[in-house]
Amino acid sequence: MTTNVKQMMEAANAAVPRITPAQAKEMIAKGSTLVVDVRDAPEVEKSGKVAGAIHVSRGMLEFRADPETPYHDKNFAKDKTVILYCASGGRSALGGKVLKDMGYPNVYNLGAFKDWAESGEAIDKPIEPDM
Ligand SMILES: O=S(=O)([O-])[S-]
C-alpha cells in the first residue's frame, strides 16, 4: 500500500495534537518537557530557536530519539513531554508521528517557529551550527 504527503499529514495531525505558543509555554513551565526544533541548520542559524529547545534536524530525529542507536541524544526520554516545531508545522507533525510510533506517549506539535517568535516568547540566538 502506498501513501502520499496529504495522507501522511492527516495521519500525523490526528496522532499529534497541535498546541499554541501559550499552551507550549505552560507545558514548559511544568518541567520535564523537551522542545525540539526539527528545521535544518541554516534555518535555525538564521532565526534562533525557542529558548531551551534542542536542535535535531528532521533527518536525524529517529536516530537521536532511539537509545539503541549510536546517535542517541540523552535529552530524549519517553517520560518527558516532547514538543516539536518547524517552519510551518509540517515536519514537526510528521516527526511527532514518528516519535509516537516509537513509543513516545506525550508528543505535541507547536507548529511554526514564527508564531512563537511573534508571540514575544523567549528565543535563543544565535544558534551553534550543528546537525
Ligand atoms: O515542514 S514545514 O512545515 O516547516 S515546510
Side-chain angles (χ1 to χ4, degrees), residues 2-125:
T2 63
T3 188
N4 60 29
V5 171
K6 183 171 179 275
Q7 291 166 332
M8 286 188 274
M9 284 302 303
E10 282 168 5
N13 285 322
V16 183
R18 206 48 194 255
I19 56 169
T20 64
Q23 288 171 311
K25 196 178 170 187
E26 232 171 76
M27 287 178 180
I28 293 165
K30 281 190 190 142
S32 201
T33 303
L34 175 65
V35 184
V36 187
D37 187 324
V38 296
R39 295 175 296 165
D40 289 338
E43 299 173 87
V44 182
E45 285 165 27
K46 207 153 132 194
S47 66
K49 58 179 172 58
V50 169
I54 63 165
H55 172 225
V56 176
S57 65
R58 173 69 189 88
M60 285 302 292
L61 187 63
E62 293 88 336
F63 299 94
R64 296 281 187 238
D66 187 340
E68 305 287 316
T69 82
Y71 305 106
H72 179 240
D73 180 330
K74 288 192 179 65
N75 287 302
F76 282 87
K78 291 183 180 158
D79 59 353
K80 286 185 182 171
T81 296
V82 182
I83 300 172
L84 296 96
Y85 69 90
C86 59
S88 304
R91 284 168 288 181
S92 48
L94 295 173
K97 170 76 165 58
V98 163
L99 292 183
K100 288 215 105 166
D101 292 344
M102 291 173 76
Y104 284 80
N106 302 311
V107 184
Y108 296 89
N109 182 7
L110 170 58
F113 172 75
K114 189 168 76 56
D115 293 342
W116 175 270
E118 287 176 2
S119 304
E121 303 298 351
I123 289 171
D124 284 342
K125 202 178 188 178

